[in-house]
Amino acid sequence: MSSSAPSPLSPTTWTRGPRRPSWLSPKVLRTEVLAGLVVALALIPEAISFSIIAGVDPAIGLFASFTMAVTIAFVGGRPAMISAATGAVALVIGPLNREHGFGYLVAAVILGGGFQIVLGALGVAKLMRFVPRSVMVGFVNSLAILIFMAQVPEMHDVPWAVYPLLAAGLALMVFFPKVTKAVPAPLVSIVILTAITLAAGIAVPTVGDKGDLPSSLPVPGLPDVPFTMETLKIVAPYAFAMALVGLMESLMTAKLVDDITDTHSNKTRESVGQGIANIVTGFFGGMGGCAMIGQTMINVRVSGARTRLSTFLAGAFLMVLCVVFGPVVSDIPMAALVAVMVMVCFATFDWHSIAPKTLKRMPAGEITVMVITVVCVVATSNLAIGVVVGSITAMVIFAKRVAHLADVTSVTDPDGTQVVYSVTGELFFAASNDLVGRFNYATDPDKVVIDLSAAHIWDASSVAALDAIGTKYAQRGKTVEIISLNEPSARLHKTLSGELTGGH
């Protein structure tokens, strides 16, 4: 008896009864379709803005958002996450476009996708386990700040009518869900504000003011560059930087969606999927991209989407809106989309993390890491830099804290012929230097026993420190015996002891 194969758009779980993906149920289908439409509308001005940053035609950013979203819906590892053209990728590859031309930018996107596939296959996603919670909180909060800062230009030096429209949009999104949640409040807000501005003839900035929307679908092709080693030398550094930044943002966003939805995602598949999506995007002449955090929050947190269908439809609707309904979409007031993004900021920011009660109870090191992450991200407008600096800071603080847990106590036999040193704690590079200074080389008896039953040796620095202790005692004609090593520590000590001093 045969059964139908799962659709590539389906989540990993199934409804009871016949084997049908959950998104085929009317309620879920409605949610996914409407969420995809809202995200598509929100993608348009963002994609155009990022195109300007990269120095390319607005259609290039819109094509990239279309191909990224549609492709990642099939090959990605995190259902409901939105990938499209992003500012982070635009900042990385923009200089390449300005210095060498658009063909080199496309080549970098394709090569960057290849790098992402290789990094994904090598297990780069496993590095996410080393990102502490304080860095994650800082990442989320700085993300909210960046999204808000990106909206500020749309609220500065604009006609006065923008402000009441903005206020009306926010009010609709706050109060409409109290009436019904059948239709996403952001979509209602966009439709109503557009209708008001058109009916009343209110002159305010619109989506059309950002740039011309494409009138046809993208066509595949090869990048217009010479296929030589010289081209590779020019393109490779930008491609690798793009791959790292794209993976960092995508994996952090996937982890954030995991937390919001209480579900697990395949980070390795997501890493490889980002590479495939960028390669497809490059061959269609797009500017590349990665996970879009703001639009993902609209999709998951605001609209309630949970499956790959919403991601696929976001890309599909984007092209339909541009190609078929371009004139209508061009009339959408920017105030409506700004209101949506401001609402996303407030929903994204972890307000609990800065509450006085939380700050009083939180260790100073955790607060420091969170603040450093936020400051780095906001100062550089690069989420990847903030995450890396925050993680390194957290590791330094952790190493310093753990190093202080290593302790040495000594007991001398009554007859004065032997002294036993008991070492407790984790022995690694941060603790090894202090360890050497905790012994009384000059006054100890001729026999010294070092008991490591309550300690663990983690690295070569600790083995070198124990060798140095033995050498100092030997210079005074005294013997040292190390006892009670656990199996991993004994193995490491046996392998490295006597091999780290270069014969001195």
Side-chain angles (χ1 to χ4, degrees):
M1 180 178 177
S2 62
S3 59
S4 59
S7 164
L9 291 177
S10 62
T12 56
T13 57
W14 298 83
T15 55
R16 290 184 179 181
R19 299 190 67 179
R20 290 175 25 181
S22 61
W23 52 265
L24 282 179
S25 70
K27 182 178 179 182
V28 176
L29 182 60
R30 183 183 68 237
T31 299
E32 299 297 310
V33 170
L34 294 176
L37 180 57
V38 174
V39 171
L41 290 168
L43 278 172
I44 293 172
E46 296 278 303
I48 294 174
S49 298
F50 298 147
S51 299
I52 294 170
I53 292 173
V56 299
D57 189 83
I60 303 302
L62 292 165
F63 287 157
S65 296
F66 162 60
T67 53
M68 285 291 298
V70 169
T71 305
I72 207 69
F74 290 91
V75 300
R78 174 62 262 179
M81 191 166 77
I82 304 297
S83 291
T86 58
V89 170
L91 286 169
V92 171
I93 61 177
L96 178 63
N97 180 57
R98 287 189 287 272
E99 293 171 17
H100 297 281
F102 180 66
Y104 284 83
L105 181 149
V106 173
V109 171
I110 295 171
L111 182 59
F115 282 142
Q116 288 178 328
I117 292 175
V118 172
L119 291 170
L122 292 175
V124 70
K126 294 178 181 177
L127 296 176
M128 287 301 297
R129 72 182 68 176
F130 297 105
V131 178
R133 183 185 179 280
S134 52
V135 173
M136 192 67 191
V137 172
F139 169 81
V140 170
N141 289 346
S142 55
L143 155 67
I145 294 170
L146 284 184
I147 294 174
F148 182 81
M149 289 172 62
Q151 311 313 310
V152 171
E154 305 296 339
M155 297 182 279
H156 176 68
D157 195 23
V158 292
W160 68 268
V162 167
Y163 302 109
L165 287 173
L166 181 61
L170 291 172
L172 279 168
M173 283 183 285
V174 170
F175 295 109
F176 186 79
K178 299 180 185 300
V179 179
T180 178
K181 294 184 179 179
V183 182
L187 181 58
V188 174
S189 176
I190 292 169
V191 171
I192 290 178
L193 293 188
T194 303
I196 290 173
T197 54
L198 290 176
I202 303 173
V204 291
T206 63
V207 170
D209 296 332
K210 287 289 183 181
D212 295 331
L213 301 182
S215 57
S216 61
L217 294 174
V219 178
L222 293 174
D224 184 17
V225 295
F227 292 91
T228 63
M229 286 301 298
E230 185 62 29
T231 300
L232 183 62
K233 289 178 183 178
I234 294 171
V235 168
Y238 292 95
F240 191 66
M242 170 198 154
L244 291 178
V245 170
L247 283 183
M248 180 79 72
E249 293 211 20
S250 298
L251 292 175
M252 289 295 289
T253 305
K255 190 173 187 300
L256 179 60
V257 177
D258 288 353
D259 293 340
I260 292 172
T261 60
D262 291 325
T263 57
H264 176 72
S265 61
N266 188 330
K267 305 299 188 303
T268 297
R269 178 177 172 180
E270 183 60 41
S271 302
V272 174
Q274 288 291 326
I276 294 172
N278 272 304
I279 290 174
V280 172
T281 296
F283 281 121
F284 275 92
M287 57 179 276
C290 61
M292 286 199 80
I293 306 166
Q295 274 66 18
T296 297
M297 289 300 100
I298 293 175
N299 197 45
V300 175
R301 177 164 273 173
V302 179
S303 301
R306 291 293 182 270
T307 79
R308 299 175 186 274
L309 182 62
S310 57
T311 306
F312 173 81
L313 290 177
F317 283 151
L318 174 64
M319 276 295 98
V320 172
L321 288 170
C322 291
V323 175
V324 180
F325 299 103
V328 177
V329 173
S330 296
D331 288 332
I332 295 175
M334 283 301 300
L337 298 176
V338 169
V340 172
M341 298 309 293
V342 169
M343 202 67 189
V344 169
C345 298
F346 280 96
T348 302
F349 196 91
D350 187 350
W351 297 100
H352 177 73
S353 67
I354 61 170
K357 274 187 179 181
T358 305
L359 295 176
K360 284 180 182 178
R361 296 176 182 175
M362 191 71 67
E366 301 280 319
I367 297 173
T368 301
V369 169
M370 181 180 71
V371 171
I372 287 175
T373 303
V374 172
V375 169
C376 286
V377 171
V378 173
T380 63
S381 296
N382 191 320
L383 291 160
I385 291 176
V387 170
V388 170
V389 173
S391 297
I392 292 173
T393 304
M395 290 176 186
V396 170
I397 292 173
F398 173 76
K400 185 177 179 182
R401 185 184 304 157
V402 173
H404 289 161
L405 298 178
D407 194 23
V408 179
T409 57
S410 64
V411 177
T412 305
D413 286 355
D415 58 7
T417 59
Q418 174 180 291
V419 61
V420 178
Y421 282 91
S422 296
V423 181
T424 61
E426 309 302 316
L427 303 182
F428 65 111
F429 62 89
S432 58
N433 290 331
D434 290 340
L435 185 65
V436 177
R438 302 292 294 275
F439 293 80
N440 301 314
Y441 304 101
T443 60
D444 279 342
D446 290 342
K447 184 175 182 182
V448 178
V449 177
I450 302 177
D451 182 0
L452 295 177
S453 58
H456 186 96
I457 299 175
W458 286 103
D459 59 7
S461 297
S462 301
V463 176
L466 292 172
D467 284 353
I469 293 168
T471 300
K472 287 179 180 291
Y473 277 117
Q475 289 171 348
R476 293 168 173 81
K478 302 175 183 181
T479 60
V480 175
E481 180 184 5
I482 297 175
I483 64 171
S484 302
L485 285 165
N486 60 41
E487 186 178 344
S489 298
R491 189 163 53 247
L492 183 64
H493 185 264
K494 182 180 179 180
T495 302
L496 297 178
S497 182
E499 303 293 332
L500 302 170
T501 58
H504 298 292

